[in-house]
């Protein structure tokens, strides 16, 4: 297949990378869904749980930039195979974990595989499709990630409720699908070096990746991630302690907020192609923040739950636009590095946010996390609106 040929949205390469995306994230939120159980088994405080939630993203942050360089140097296929292999190792270690530190090590491996996947896979997909089709392809790929983020917590709730297994068995359950994912990547042969239809001369004339818009977009992503992770890190504890839901139900609600992303991510990609990435992202995130504000003020779990799920839907609806904007702001020859820079603030804020949220929760209670998260998120939205030119 030539570099200038247009790849079909229904191509095998996109399917395999999407499956790998699902398996990359399927175990990433399981430990958070299990926090109420882990807290009791290991007798941990909110601050200690905050550390468990913070350490893996911190390790991921240290690896994100090197993984971007390696993706540009060695190619996407090799890096995706490496990422799934590390995911398999993390699931085995979590299954055998006997104390909190073994669990932290296992979850760190699971986050490490995410740091490897994103620069490689997003770079590959962004170069396989034309700028017009790129948000659509990234939306389909994003659906795999949101499916994984939802299946992990939901499987934890269902498996423990229906089968005689402990929380450790949830990690073992996903080992075979991860191995299947490794096999699915092997047939991929075509890895373009440049964007579709792009010539080497265009790359040489490309403006610096570190433009003001690029830097401000990373700042927006940082604040958006901080606000979102403050809520996500303790949402199951909030549902159990404040909303009085059971462990199983809280895990399912937590997973359902991502499960709707199966539909939201592809739909968001198609709509971003039609209305423009920045405009669409502003619209969807504004709706998401209004939804979570209403959820926090809801008097009953029956009202909170659909609003929280709507928040997840609207957030995911904007993800393809978010991923596509970074491709527009970066040259294709350094696309792996560009996506590693995109996911670097995600990792850093993913590490800092749980600790900050735990401190707020210990002093003011778990509900206090919501207003602070909304203030931070709104500031990020303002930076996107007035500072980023696409």
């Amino acid at each position: 297949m030539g570099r200038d040929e247009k790849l079909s949205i229904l191509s095998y390469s996109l399917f395999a990378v999407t499956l790998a995306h699902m398996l990359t994230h399927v175990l990433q939120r399981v430990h958070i869904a299990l926090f109420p159980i882990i807290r009791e088994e290991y007798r941990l405080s909110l601050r200690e749980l905050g550390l468990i939630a913070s350490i893996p993203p911190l390790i991921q942050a240290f690896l994100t930039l090197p993984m971007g360089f390696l993706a540009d140097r060695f190619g996407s296929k090799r890096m995706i195979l490496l990422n799934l292999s590390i995911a398999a190792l993390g699931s085995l270690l979590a299954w055998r974990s006997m104390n909190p530190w073994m669990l932290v090590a296992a979850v760190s491996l699971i986050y490490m595989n995410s740091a490897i996947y994103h620069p490689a896979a997003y770079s590959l997909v962004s170069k396989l499709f034309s700028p017009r089709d790129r948000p659509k392809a990234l939306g389909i790929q994003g659906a795999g990630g949101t499916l994984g983020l939802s299946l992990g917590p939901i499987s934890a709730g269902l498996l423990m409720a229906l089968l005689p297994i402990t929380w450790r068995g949830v990690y073992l359950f996903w080992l075979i699908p991860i191995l299947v994912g490794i096999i699915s990547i092997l047939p991929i042969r075509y890895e373009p070096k440049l964007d579709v239809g792009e010539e080497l001369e265009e790359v040489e004339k490309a403006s610096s990746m570190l433009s003001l818009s690029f830097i401000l977009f990373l700042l927006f992503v940082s604040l958006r991630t901080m606000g979102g992770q403050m809520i996500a890190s303790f949402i199951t504890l909030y549902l159990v302690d404040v909303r009085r839901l059971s462990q199983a139900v809280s895990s399912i609600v937590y997973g359902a907020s991502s499960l709707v992303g199966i539909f939201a991510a592809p739909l968001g990609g198609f709509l971003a192609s039609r209305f423009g990435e920045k405009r669409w992202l502003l619209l969807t995130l504004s709706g998401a923040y209004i939804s979570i504000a209403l959820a926090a003020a809801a008097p009953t779990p029956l009202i909170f739950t659909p609003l929280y799920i709507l928040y997840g839907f609207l957030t995911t609806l904007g993800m393809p636009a978010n991923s596509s904007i970074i491709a527009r702001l970066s040259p294709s020859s350094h696309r792996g590095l560009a996506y590693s820079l995109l996911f670097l603030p995600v990792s850093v804020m993913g590490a800092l946010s749980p600790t900050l949220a735990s401190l707020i929760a210990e002093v003011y209670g778990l509900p206090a996390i919501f207003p602070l998260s909304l203030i931070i998120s709104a500031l990020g939205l303002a930076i996107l609106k007035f500072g980023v030119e696409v």
Side-chain angles (χ1 to χ4, degrees):
M1 180 176 177
R3 174 170 55 82
D4 293 338
E5 294 185 50
K6 191 176 180 180
L7 200 66
S8 168
I9 289 291
L10 300 178
S11 69
Y12 177 81
S13 293
L14 183 56
F15 165 78
V17 172
T18 300
L19 176 63
H21 199 190
M22 186 271 283
L23 296 168
T24 294
H25 287 300
V26 74
L27 295 176
Q28 191 166 339
R29 290 185 175 179
V30 168
H31 66 296
I32 293 176
L34 296 170
F35 264 1
I37 295 176
I38 293 170
R39 176 179 60 178
E40 296 302 318
E41 179 171 333
Y42 294 131
R43 298 181 180 178
L44 301 173
S45 67
L46 285 176
R47 189 172 300 183
E48 289 168 332
L49 288 172
L51 285 174
I52 292 177
S54 296
I55 292 173
L58 184 60
I59 293 174
Q60 180 183 6
F62 283 117
L63 292 172
T64 299
L65 278 180
M67 293 305 109
F69 283 108
L70 291 176
D72 288 331
R73 174 66 178 83
F74 294 107
S76 297
K77 179 179 176 179
R78 292 177 182 175
M79 299 303 290
I80 295 172
L81 288 172
L82 176 63
N83 107 265
L84 290 176
S85 300
I86 292 177
L89 181 61
S91 69
L92 283 173
L93 184 59
W95 171 53
R96 301 301 299 168
S97 64
M98 302 304 295
N99 56 62
W101 297 113
M102 286 185 67
L103 178 62
V104 168
V107 176
S108 295
L109 287 174
I110 292 167
Y111 271 72
M112 184 188 304
N113 92 82
S114 179
I116 298 170
Y117 172 87
H118 285 120
Y122 276 80
S123 173
L124 175 62
V125 172
S126 72
K127 288 185 284 190
L128 282 173
F129 297 90
S130 66
R132 179 177 178 82
D133 289 334
R134 186 182 289 147
K136 304 173 188 176
L138 290 170
I140 293 172
Q141 181 197 14
T146 56
L147 176 60
L149 290 172
S150 63
L151 283 181
I154 289 174
S155 67
L158 292 178
L159 289 171
M160 294 178 62
L162 301 177
L163 299 177
I165 64 173
T166 66
W167 61 267
R168 295 173 179 83
V170 177
Y171 287 94
L172 183 62
F173 172 84
W174 284 104
L175 177 60
I176 292 178
I178 291 172
L179 296 177
V180 172
I182 292 174
I183 296 171
S184 74
I185 294 298
L186 295 175
I188 294 179
R189 293 287 181 267
Y190 176 60
E191 290 191 46
K193 299 294 185 183
L194 306 176
D195 286 340
V196 171
E198 186 179 46
E199 301 298 334
L200 182 60
E201 291 80 7
E202 297 177 54
V203 177
E204 292 173 345
K205 294 177 182 178
S207 60
S208 171
M209 185 169 63
L210 295 179
S211 64
L212 178 60
S213 287
F214 188 94
I215 293 171
L216 289 175
F217 188 73
L218 294 184
L219 179 58
F220 150 72
V221 171
S222 300
L223 294 172
R224 173 190 176 181
T225 302
M226 172 175 280
Q229 285 299 313
M230 287 181 67
I231 294 174
S233 298
F234 291 97
I235 189 65
T236 53
L237 286 175
Y238 172 82
L239 292 173
V240 171
D241 292 356
V242 179
R243 297 293 179 169
R244 301 301 179 187
L245 299 181
S246 68
Q247 164 64 47
V249 172
S250 68
S251 295
I252 292 172
V253 170
Y254 179 46
S257 68
S258 297
L259 184 62
V260 292
I262 300 171
F263 310 102
L267 177 62
F270 279 86
L271 293 174
S273 295
R274 180 174 180 179
F275 296 108
E277 291 98 331
K278 178 180 173 180
R279 179 184 177 189
W280 183 245
L281 187 56
L282 286 167
L283 181 63
T284 55
L285 288 182
S286 297
Y289 299 151
I290 292 172
S291 298
I292 196 64
L294 292 174
T300 68
L302 287 178
I303 300 176
F304 175 91
T305 299
L307 287 169
Y308 177 68
I309 293 174
L310 178 62
Y311 162 73
F313 180 85
L314 291 170
T315 300
T316 308
L317 206 60
M319 285 177 60
N322 192 86
S323 302
S324 186
I325 287 173
I326 209 71
R328 288 188 178 274
L329 294 174
S330 63
S332 60
S333 57
H334 298 294
R335 190 63 50 72
L337 176 59
Y339 277 107
S340 69
L341 287 170
L342 171 64
F343 287 101
L344 178 60
V346 174
S347 302
V348 172
M349 293 305 161
L352 296 178
S353 301
T355 301
L356 175 61
S358 68
L359 295 175
I360 296 296
E362 283 192 337
V363 177
Y364 300 105
L366 288 166
I369 292 174
F370 289 90
L372 180 58
S373 166
L374 285 168
I375 292 171
I376 294 171
S377 299
L379 178 58
L381 206 61
I383 290 173
L384 173 64
K385 169 70 175 177
F386 299 108
V388 178
E389 296 183 4
V390 182

